[in-house]
Amino acid sequence: MTTGNLAIQVCDLGKQYRIGARQDKYATLRDTLTDAFVAPFRRARQLLRGQAYGAAGLEETIWALRNVSFEVSEGEVVAVIGHNGAGKSTLLKVLSRITEPTEGYADVYGRVGSLLEVGTGFHPELTGRENIYLNGAILGMTREEIDAKFDEMVAFAETEKFIDTPVKHYSSGMHLRLAFSVAAHLEPEILLVDEVLAVGDVKFQRKCLNKMSDVASEGRTVLFVSHNMVAARNLCERGIVLEQGHVVFEGSIDNAISFYTRGAAEQQHGIGVRDVRETTSRSGIGGGRIVEIGCRDNEGNVTSMIGLGKPFELWMDIELEKNVRELVGGFEIRTLDGTPLVNLRTDSQSIYFELGPNQRRVRIIARIPGLPFYPGLYMVEPWFCQRLGKRMDHVHRSFAITLESHGVFQSERMYHRDKGLVMMDADWQME
C-alpha cells in the first residue's frame, strides 16, 4: 500500500501518562528558598524513621497505547473496538493532534474532523447562533462555509425557535443536537468519531447514524469508536480491536466483533458455566433464586461455543426458599442489543415439574435441537416461576453463547448477519 492512497498511517505508536504525581501549587521565591533550606533536615528525619527518601512522591507511569500500528485507506470506514480503558479515545486524540505521542508516529493525510467530545468549545453565555460560528471556527470551518451550511445545521439540530437564545437555557438534548450538527457538517476528508451515540434519544441516534452513513457513502474516511456493535456493523467494513493499549485483532467488521464479544463474554460470563448467586441484575417476586447456569454441546462438553444448528443443552440450578408444588422454567435468548429472539418455556409444552415436600434444590435442563441464527454472540436469560404464578427469579443478561459458522448446514462458510437473523435449509427443485 502506497502513501498516495493512505488516509491514516500509524506506526509503533505509544502514549505514556504519569499518574499519581503531586500537583504543586505556584511557588514564590520565598517558598523556593525555604524549601531548599529545610530539605536536608526533612531527608535526615525520613532516613531516621527508616523511610526511603522520596518514596511517597514517586510518580507512576502507564502506557495508554503501546506499539500500535495500522493503516487506513482513503474511503474506508473502520471501527475501533475495545473495553473502557483500552486506549480508543487516546488513539483518536493523538490522530486529532490534541495530544502528542510519546513514541512512534501517526500521519493523517487530509482535513480531519473530530467528534470526540460533542459540545467542546460551546460557551453557555452565547446564543446558539454565536456558538455555531465559534464552534465551527474551532473545528476549522471558514466563515463562508458556516454561512453556506448555517440553515442546514439549524434544521438538522431542530433548534430553529431557540437559535438566538443563550445555550445555558438549552436542555442537554438541544445542546447535544446543535453540537453534533456543527461537527457533522464540517465535511472533512477524514472523520474521527468517539462514542457520540452514547447519549441522546433513539430518534437523534438514528439521525446521527444516517448522517455518518451519508459521510461514508460519499467516499470519505471514517474512524468510528463505539460500544454499539450494531452501529459498528452497519457503518463499518473493517474493525480494529484494542486491548490494554495494544492492537490484538484487525480484520473484517464481523470477525472483529466476534473476537471482541467472545473475549468479553469469556471475561464476564465464563466459558460454559457461570455462578450467578451474587448477580444483582435480576427481577422477580422472590421465594427462590437461580444460582448457576451452564451449557453443554451434543458431546457433553461444557462450553459456550455451539455450531450452527447443532444440538446443545442449557441448564439452570435453582435454590428454593419455600415449598413449590409445580415449577415452570424457561430461557430467553436475545441479541446483544436486547432484541428477544426465543423464549423457551416448559408450560408452552404443557410441562410442569412436580416437586416433593421440602425439596429445595433442583436443576432444570433444556435440550435444544439447534438454533438457526447467524453466527455471533447471543445472551441467555433464565427464569422460573410456580404454575400460574409470577416469575420468582429472572437473571438478566446472565450468560452468553457463541454460534460458530460451522454446523449442520450444507454451506460451511462464514455467514453474514446483514442477510437476516434466521437461516434454514429447504427442499429445492426446478420445473
Side-chain angles (χ1 to χ4, degrees):
M1 189 179 293
T2 62
T3 304
N5 63 345
L6 282 181
I8 299 171
Q9 185 176 38
V10 176
C11 185
D12 294 328
L13 186 68
K15 178 61 182 178
Q16 186 183 56
Y17 289 104
R18 287 194 298 271
I19 60 174
R22 187 181 65 186
Q23 299 296 318
D24 293 327
K25 63 181 182 179
Y26 175 77
T28 64
L29 176 60
R30 184 179 63 181
D31 294 332
T32 304
L33 293 174
T34 302
D35 187 66
F37 177 75
V38 301
F41 300 100
R42 187 189 307 122
R43 185 182 313 170
R45 186 167 59 249
Q46 288 179 326
L47 290 173
L48 288 173
R49 291 176 179 176
Q51 297 175 345
Y53 175 69
L58 289 177
E59 296 179 0
E60 185 181 349
T61 60
I62 60 168
W63 287 92
L65 296 171
R66 196 76 192 269
N67 300 324
V68 173
S69 298
F70 64 87
E71 295 178 349
V72 179
S73 300
E74 292 177 358
E76 268 196 299
V77 184
V78 179
V80 180
I81 304 168
H83 301 288
N84 290 331
K88 306 181 300 296
S89 297
T90 301
L91 173 63
L92 264 58
K93 287 177 180 178
V94 172
L95 294 176
S96 301
R97 303 296 187 253
I98 293 174
T99 184
E100 289 293 320
T102 306
E103 62 184 23
Y105 66 89
D107 289 335
V108 180
Y109 307 99
R111 182 184 185 187
V112 176
S114 301
L115 293 174
L116 303 186
E117 295 179 11
V118 174
T120 299
F122 267 40
H123 195 291
E125 299 296 336
L126 300 180
T127 66
R129 182 186 303 274
E130 292 165 337
N131 269 296
I132 286 178
Y133 282 94
L134 173 63
N135 207 233
I138 291 172
L139 293 172
M141 301 174 72
T142 65
R143 186 176 184 87
E144 290 72 22
E145 286 179 299
I146 300 173
D147 288 338
K149 297 179 181 295
F150 183 87
D151 292 339
E152 188 178 347
M153 292 179 193
V154 175
F156 184 93
E158 300 174 4
T159 54
E160 294 94 332
K161 291 174 58 178
F162 310 98
I163 196 62
D164 291 310
T165 302
V167 298
K168 67 180 180 181
H169 299 303
Y170 283 19
S171 68
S172 58
M174 291 168 59
H175 187 279
L176 177 71
R177 290 200 303 271
L178 187 61
F180 181 91
S181 181
V182 175
H185 287 82
L186 174 60
E187 291 192 1
E189 295 166 298
I190 301 167
L191 182 61
L192 307 178
V193 184
D194 186 8
E195 202 60 82
V196 296
L197 302 182
V199 287
D201 57 29
V202 173
K203 178 183 175 184
F204 173 70
Q205 290 182 16
R206 189 178 300 115
K207 201 170 187 178
C208 293
L209 281 171
N210 290 337
K211 182 63 179 178
M212 285 190 288
S213 181
D214 292 341
V215 171
S217 65
E218 293 168 1
R220 300 181 205 160
T221 305
V222 180
L223 209 60
F224 179 57
V225 167
S226 179
H227 290 106
N228 187 333
M229 296 298 105
V230 176
R233 179 176 275 115
N234 290 337
L235 281 173
C236 305
E237 307 150 356
R238 190 159 63 92
I240 297 170
V241 183
L242 288 180
E243 186 175 303
Q244 295 182 347
H246 296 80
V247 174
V248 294
F249 184 87
E250 184 177 354
S252 71
I253 187 61
D254 284 330
N255 290 345
I257 289 174
S258 295
F259 182 93
Y260 167 70
T261 52
R262 179 179 300 180
E266 291 176 357
Q267 288 181 14
Q268 183 177 356
H269 304 290
I271 305 175
V273 63
R274 186 188 180 203
D275 188 318
V276 293
R277 297 170 195 269
E278 305 302 325
T279 299
T280 57
S281 181
R282 60 206 313 155
S283 60
I285 61 172
R289 62 174 180 167
I290 299 164
V291 297
E292 185 177 276
I293 178 173
C295 177
R296 287 192 183 94
D297 62 19
N298 199 38
E299 285 73 41
N301 302 310
V302 175
T303 179
S304 60
M305 310 296 177
I306 308 297
L308 290 179
K310 283 196 169 183
F312 68 102
E313 67 178 34
L314 296 170
W315 81 78
M316 62 174 137
D317 287 346
I318 300 170
E319 289 183 351
L320 296 168
E321 300 168 3
K322 63 181 182 179
N323 288 335
V324 174
R325 293 185 57 188
E326 292 181 304
L327 196 66
V328 173
F331 293 95
E332 293 183 5
I333 300 177
R334 298 171 176 263
T335 61
L336 281 180
D337 61 358
T339 303
L341 298 175
V342 175
N343 188 6
L344 304 167
R345 50 191 302 155
T346 62
D347 56 348
S348 67
Q349 299 172 255
S350 299
I351 296 174
Y352 306 93
F353 297 110
E354 293 187 5
L355 276 62
N358 300 317
Q359 188 171 353
R360 290 290 185 264
R361 181 160 182 137
V362 296
R363 170 173 287 190
I364 294 179
I365 303 170
R367 293 184 174 88
I368 302 164
L371 293 175
F373 306 134
Y374 277 71
L377 196 76
Y378 296 88
M379 302 307 301
V380 177
E381 300 187 359
W383 60 270
F384 73 92
C385 64
Q386 298 188 72
R387 184 174 184 174
L388 303 179
K390 294 183 178 180
R391 294 186 180 185
M392 299 171 68
D393 192 22
H394 179 158
V395 186
H396 301 281
R397 298 182 68 83
S398 65
F399 192 73
I401 57 174
T402 301
L403 296 187
E404 300 183 299
S405 58
H406 61 82
V408 300
F409 291 95
Q410 295 298 313
S411 179
E412 297 287 336
R413 62 181 178 82
M414 176 59 73
Y415 301 89
H416 295 287
R417 189 184 288 269
D418 60 354
K419 304 302 181 185
L421 281 175
V422 178
M423 57 187 169
M424 56 190 298
D425 287 338
D427 292 327
W428 301 88
Q429 65 181 37
M430 185 176 70
E431 296 180 351

